[in-house]
Amino acid sequence: MLGSGMTVKFFPLFFWREVGLSPIKVQVIYVAAPTGIACCAFVAQKLSKRIGRVWVTVCTKVCACILLAVMTRVDDGPLIIVLYLLRTWLANCCSGLTRSILNDYVRKDERARWNAAESINRFGWSGSAVLGGHLVDLYGYRFTFLITAGLQLCSAAILSSLARVVERESSSTYARVESRGDGETKEEPAPGDEEGRRAKPD
C-alpha cells in the first residue's frame, strides 16, 4: 500500500511529461483500467479454486511488479501504456480475495477494528505520496517506479508465507464436510468465527 502510494498519484504526470499524452488520452487510460480490473478479478476468482487464493494473489502481484520494472526501461509510448494497463489490472484484481482471507481469520466482532485499521492504512497511502514526490524531484519518475516495484515484491514475498496456513485450513474444512457422508451440505464456520463461538458458549 505504501509503495503504491509513492507512485500512483504521479502516473498522470508521467504520461503527460514523458510519454507526451494529452489529458484526454490520459483519462481514456483511467477509464480502461477499472474495466480490466473487473475482468481480471473474475478470472482470478476462478483460478483461486485451483491453486488457492494466496498463490493467485502472489502471482498477480509478482507479475505486476515485473511489468512496472519493465516500464522503467521502455521508451515507446504505446508499449508503456499497454504495460501500465496490464500492471494495473494484475495489481488490483485480487483485492476481493485478500479481503476474503482476512474475513476468514478475523472474528466477526473484531472486523470493525480491522476496518478502522484500513482507514489508517489509506492515510499512510496518501502520506507516502509526499515521499514519492520528493523522490521524483530528486531522481525522476522511472527510478521512483522501480522503488515501488521493489517494495511491492517484498510484500508479495511476505504474503506467500501465508499460503500453507490458508491451504491447510481450507483442506481440513473440506475434509470435515466430506467425512460426514450423509449427503447433506452444511456451512462450515470460518476460523475466526469458530474461535469466537468457543470463547462465547451458547
Side-chain angles (χ1 to χ4, degrees):
M1 181 66 75
L2 295 178
S4 297
M6 289 173 56
T7 56
V8 167
K9 294 181 180 296
F10 299 102
F11 277 122
L13 291 175
F14 171 74
F15 290 139
W16 175 44
R17 293 181 177 178
E18 297 203 9
V19 183
L21 297 182
S22 65
I24 295 178
K25 292 180 179 179
V26 172
Q27 294 307 311
V28 170
I29 294 174
Y30 278 91
V31 169
T35 304
I37 292 173
C39 295
C40 289
F42 178 78
V43 176
Q45 184 180 13
K46 297 293 185 181
L47 190 59
S48 67
K49 297 178 181 179
R50 292 181 175 271
I51 66 174
R53 293 173 294 179
V54 174
W55 285 122
V56 170
T57 304
V58 170
C59 290
T60 55
K61 288 187 177 299
V62 169
C63 290
C65 293
I66 294 174
L67 291 170
L68 183 58
V70 172
M71 275 183 59
T72 66
R73 311 298 297 177
V74 173
D75 294 322
D76 182 62
L79 181 56
I80 288 177
I81 295 172
V82 172
L83 291 173
Y84 168 78
L85 286 174
L86 290 175
R87 175 260 166 199
T88 302
W89 296 344
L90 292 175
N92 297 281
C93 68
C94 290
S95 59
L97 295 179
T98 54
R99 179 174 291 274
S100 70
I101 295 173
L102 178 63
N103 289 338
D104 282 350
Y105 287 85
V106 176
R107 295 187 310 190
K108 289 184 177 180
D109 58 344
E110 294 182 352
R111 288 175 187 172
R113 300 177 188 175
W114 285 95
N115 291 332
E118 285 186 1
S119 300
I120 299 175
N121 197 16
R122 284 192 291 269
F123 172 79
W125 184 83
S126 300
S128 63
V130 177
L131 176 60
H134 183 65
L135 291 174
V136 167
D137 289 339
L138 291 178
Y139 304 107
Y141 294 102
R142 296 175 187 267
F143 182 78
T144 307
F145 296 164
L146 196 60
I147 293 177
T148 296
L151 291 175
Q152 292 178 339
L153 194 61
C154 292
S155 69
I158 295 173
L159 181 61
S160 65
S161 64
L162 300 177
R164 290 186 177 181
V165 176
V166 175
E167 289 176 357
R168 183 171 63 248
E169 187 66 40
S170 298
S171 299
S172 63
T173 298
Y174 294 144
R176 288 196 300 269
V177 173
E178 294 176 356
S179 64
R180 290 193 177 103
D182 55 5
E184 183 182 356
T185 301
K186 296 182 180 180
E187 182 181 358
E188 287 294 324
D193 296 341
E194 186 176 4
E195 181 182 352
R197 281 199 288 269
R198 287 198 299 266
K200 298 179 180 180
D202 294 334

